[in-house]
Amino acid sequence: MAFQIFTDVTADLTTDLIERYGVEVLGMEISVDGVNRHTVGPDAIDAKTLIAEINAGKKAQTSAVATGEIQEALERYVKLGREIFYLVFSSGLSGTFQSANIARDLVLEKYPKAKIIVVDSLAAASGEGYLLEELVKLRDAGKSIEEAQVILADIIPRLKSWFMVDDLNFLALGGRISKTAAVFGSMVNIKPVLDVDPTGHLRAVGKVRGSKKAIGTLIQNTIEDFDPAFPKIIISYSGDDNLAEEAKSTFEESLKNVEVITRQLGPVICAHTGSGTISIFSIGKTVRV
């Protein structure tokens, strides 16, 4: 029997993809002006609704997946005799990886013969989703859980994640830049270029004046290290999709035989970036440095 894959809502998979891949997705809570909102299930808040509430002046805060929730979900599959591979939201951005390890250990105390692998994706959004889809391919190709872990360990360091955030004030709220820098940058139309570093933390790597120039930088950085052995690029966005579609057209003109996908950023990521964010994910030839 194939192993069961777990991941987090931060992988930004659509409902259709979740069902197609047969993965278990654990949700996070978002507090909007003190009211807790779910991110999975029939009453889950979606990104568009959350952005509208943020634009209306409401404050959103996210929390990691609770240890007890993870433990309960793991036990359901362990009782069925399933091996579990849990690909977790970056430990550099959330405490979920720590919670997952605690939950695994608690389950193994009760079921010592169970096989549960917990892997830090060191990624976010559709970067995490990209890795998840590679894991699904490995599972469906008949790879064992151990073989899949080894292969994914080679891919994770080569995942390239490039971001542009439209509103610097969101980065200031998260402590990524100073409030003074956010105010000044907004006045002169400065757009930060960010990536995810080797330890899974968000990192500012440059500043460009204007959204189009910033996105051009993301595209150039992606193409320079693109590995054709993984002929897929995922472009994620929040708010309007015009810039994402323009980036898609540029990639399709520049790279042949490459699938370029656009997806909306999910609510957890949008809570930290706001509207107007563009992110580009691909597998590079070299590891992150």
Side-chain angles (χ1 to χ4, degrees), residues 166-187:
D166 185 60
D167 189 343
L168 291 171
N169 290 304
F170 281 94
L171 293 180
L173 288 171
R176 301 295 178 186
I177 61 174
S178 71
K179 291 183 179 179
T180 301
V183 171
F184 176 76
S186 298
M187 288 173 61

Side-chain angles (χ1 to χ4, degrees), residues 233-255:
I233 293 171
I234 303 178
I235 304 169
S236 294
Y237 65 94
S238 60
D240 199 311
D241 67 349
N242 288 342
L243 291 175
E245 290 298 329
E246 288 179 18
K248 178 180 179 179
S249 296
T250 300
F251 278 124
E252 290 175 338
E253 291 170 2
S254 304
L255 299 170

Side-chain angles (χ1 to χ4, degrees), residues 7 18 29 31 45 57 62 78 88 91 130 162 171 204 256 274 276:
T7 194
I18 292 169
E29 294 291 302
S31 174
I45 188 170
T62 62
V78 166
V88 191
S91 62
Y130 197 127
W162 296 101
L171 293 180
K256 303 303 179 185

Side-chain angles (χ1 to χ4, degrees), residues 30-36 53 56-61:
I30 300 178
S31 174
V32 183
D33 272 3
V35 178
N36 285 338
E53 294 188 0
K58 295 184 179 181
K59 293 183 179 180
Q61 293 181 312

Side-chain angles (χ1 to χ4, degrees), residues 67-266:
T67 299
E69 182 181 348
I70 299 172
Q71 180 183 356
E72 181 181 346
L74 293 175
E75 284 191 9
R76 284 204 310 271
Y77 285 92
V78 166
K79 290 176 181 178
L80 297 173
R82 301 290 297 277
E83 297 178 342
I84 298 170
F85 193 123
Y86 185 2
L87 184 66
V88 191
F89 184 33
S90 174
S91 62
L93 299 171
S94 169
T96 301
F97 180 65
Q98 181 181 6
S99 298
N101 279 292
I102 295 171
R104 176 201 59 200
D105 292 345
L106 290 171
V107 173
L108 290 177
E109 286 181 8
K110 294 175 65 175
Y111 305 94
K113 293 184 179 180
K115 182 168 289 185
I116 304 170
I117 292 176
V118 177
V119 172
D120 188 349
S121 70
L122 299 173
S126 286
E128 183 182 354
Y130 197 127
L131 296 172
L132 185 283
E133 290 177 315
E134 291 302 312
L135 181 59
V136 168
K137 290 179 186 177
L138 295 170
R139 179 200 65 189
D140 293 349
K143 299 294 184 184
S144 69
I145 194 169
E146 294 87 358
E147 290 172 327
Q149 183 180 17
V150 170
I151 295 170
L152 203 66
D154 173 69
I155 299 172
I156 288 174
R158 295 191 288 125
L159 175 73
K160 301 301 170 68
S161 307
W162 296 101
F163 295 84
M164 181 209 76
V165 177
D166 185 60
D167 189 343
L168 291 171
N169 290 304
F170 281 94
L171 293 180
L173 288 171
R176 301 295 178 186
I177 61 174
S178 71
K179 291 183 179 179
T180 301
V183 171
F184 176 76
S186 298
M187 288 173 61
V188 296
N189 197 27
I190 293 294
K191 305 300 179 186
V193 175
L194 307 103
D195 73 350
V196 176
D197 72 15
T199 60
H201 292 82
L202 197 62
R203 170 176 63 182
V205 294
K207 297 176 183 177
V208 180
R209 183 167 293 181
S211 296
K212 295 211 171 183
K213 286 186 178 179
I215 292 173
T217 299
L218 307 188
I219 293 171
Q220 180 182 354
N221 291 346
T222 299
I223 291 175
E224 284 179 353
D225 193 50
F226 182 74
D227 186 349
F230 294 86
K232 181 174 74 175
I233 293 171
I234 303 178
I235 304 169
S236 294
Y237 65 94
S238 60
D240 199 311
D241 67 349
N242 288 342
L243 291 175
E245 290 298 329
E246 288 179 18
K248 178 180 179 179
S249 296
T250 300
F251 278 124
E252 290 175 338
E253 291 170 2
S254 304
L255 299 170
K256 303 303 179 185
N257 302 315
V258 173
E259 181 184 17
V260 184
I261 302 166
T262 59
R263 290 179 184 165
Q264 189 170 50
L265 286 165

